[in-house]
Structure formats: structure tokens, C-alpha cells
Amino acid sequence: MSAIAKLRERIKQKGLLHTLQTLWNRYVYLHRELLWLGRDLVTPIAPHKLRPYTGLRLVTITQENATAFTKYYGNRVKAMAQIASEGHTGHMYLDEEGDAVGFIWGSLSDYFDQHYYGCWFRVKPGEFFQFGGEMIPLYFGSSLSVDAQYNIWGAMRAQGCDKVMDVCDARNIQAMKMHLRMDYQEQGRITHVYDLFGRFRFFRETYYTGSRLTELRKPAQPTATAAQA
């Protein structure tokens, strides 16, 4: 299929405005806000009504077993092996066929995300940086999202951590809601990622007071007041 034919098909599926916005973000300008969230590793979360799942087993990710990502995450097999080689703690969840259907990572030290955002995420003593949490659509809405975090928290607590830190794209509403359900607290800090012309990337940090997540919380909390670093 030619490039023009692909573009026409995308416009038919997504609409003209959505397609133009996607092209603008990819080839001209994209700004992402990564909100820092954190919580201790002891306080229990509120009861949830997520559906249960069965038939999965937790396995620590290594360079050798990263091939388990081939079926559902084929383009990330090398990345998973490389992250494991750096000494980060990774958990994957395998189905009955031995294929990874979900995963999550934790880093005890400063983490450089060379596979997605391309920036450093700094870690303080006693904290760990949680990243890469994902599962295939079959498990959306299941308690795997909770169990995966509980299990990585336990593994990192055993390594001396007492707090988890994470970042979440401000546009990802579902991920934000999940973090709130797990009782993460806003840290008043934002990492901004700017992409220009699909080639150049810049970063900066700003700080705020109050809450950026008022509309997602129940009950509502005070609105944030932005303040640059």
C-alpha cells in the first residue's frame, strides 16, 4: 500500500482532524507533561472491584528469558533484555503457554530511559523508580494492575526501599486514575518533554502547588497553582 493510500485509509478510520494532529505531533511539535507521583510501601490501598484473573505466574525478567515477550511484545524483546542487563528489577507475568502478558520494572538508581522518553529520572536514597508497567488488553480492568505493583513493591522493599516514585503522562487519564486508586500522591513536580521536527528533544522541570488531578479525585482537592523552577 502506498503512503498516500495509507494516509487516506487513516483519515477514513480516524478522521481528518485526528490524523492532522497525529502528523503534527510526530513531525513538527509534541509537548508531554510527566507528572511525578509517589507513595510509601506500607500504607494499604482501598478495596477495589477489579475482576480477578487466573492462570498467570510471576517470573523475574533476565537477559535469557526475555524471549517470552516475543508473542505480544515482539518489538521489545531486545529492550527487555538490555534493561535486565543493567541490573534493574523486572517482573513479567506468563500465561499457560509461557508468553508474557504483562510486565513492570523497578530501578534502585537513577534511570535513563533510552527506549521511550530519552531522559534521566533521578532517584533519592530509600526510593525506587517504577516504570514500564503494562499488560495486554485481555487483562485491562483486572486485578493484575494491583498485584503487579504489590509484587514489585515487595521486591524493592526487600532491597531497602521504603517509597516508590513514578511518572505519568498527563494525557493518560486511565493511568492517572489507576495511580489515584493505588493512593499515589502528587509530588508537585513535572518533567516536560518537547519533540521538534521528529529529530530534536528537549527537557525541563517545573513545580506546582495544590493538585493537578482535582477532576479525577473524589472528593475534589484544591486546584494547582503553576510555578516554574
Side-chain angles (χ1 to χ4, degrees), residues 78-91:
K78 290 184 178 179
M80 295 298 174
Q82 183 266 319
I83 295 172
S85 73
E86 295 176 350
H88 304 300
T89 301
H91 288 172

Side-chain angles (χ1 to χ4, degrees), residues 31-138:
H31 172 213
R32 287 171 286 183
E33 292 182 314
L34 307 181
L35 272 63
W36 282 80
L37 304 164
R39 62 157 290 155
D40 65 68
L41 302 181
V42 178
T43 305
I45 65 168
H48 62 76
K49 296 181 180 180
L50 299 171
R51 61 181 173 81
Y53 63 90
T54 59
L56 300 184
R57 58 189 175 95
L58 186 162
V59 175
T60 299
I61 303 171
T62 66
Q63 290 179 262
E64 293 72 28
N65 66 20
T67 52
F69 288 95
T70 302
K71 182 175 180 178
Y72 296 111
Y73 303 97
N75 61 338
R76 304 191 204 179
V77 172
K78 290 184 178 179
M80 295 298 174
Q82 183 266 319
I83 295 172
S85 73
E86 295 176 350
H88 304 300
T89 301
H91 288 172
M92 60 180 170
Y93 290 81
L94 306 184
D95 61 17
E96 295 176 350
E97 285 71 43
D99 296 309
V101 299
F103 63 92
I104 193 167
W105 289 94
S107 175
L108 284 171
S109 58
D110 294 346
Y111 175 65
F112 180 68
D113 182 5
Q114 63 177 289
H115 301 290
Y116 194 60
Y117 293 118
C119 63
W120 282 97
F121 295 105
R122 304 297 180 180
V123 179
K124 297 179 181 178
E127 299 176 351
F128 82 92
F129 182 69
Q130 181 175 286
F131 63 97
E134 192 172 325
M135 66 188 72
I136 65 173
L138 178 63

Side-chain angles (χ1 to χ4, degrees), residues 178-225:
M178 181 275 293
H179 280 80
L180 292 179
R181 185 172 64 245
M182 298 291 292
D183 197 33
Y184 282 80
Q185 302 298 313
E186 295 174 72
Q187 303 299 297
R189 176 181 168 198
I190 304 173
T191 296
H192 298 263
V193 183
Y194 300 90
D195 292 292
L196 298 177
F197 309 116
R199 296 184 58 188
F200 306 103
R201 182 167 287 178
F202 306 93
F203 311 93
R204 71 184 179 107
E205 284 196 350
T206 60
Y207 298 85
Y208 66 92
T209 58
S211 175
R212 282 285 302 266
L213 308 180
T214 300
E215 296 181 356
L216 302 181
R217 290 180 181 274
K218 295 180 180 180
Q221 295 186 358
T223 303
T225 302

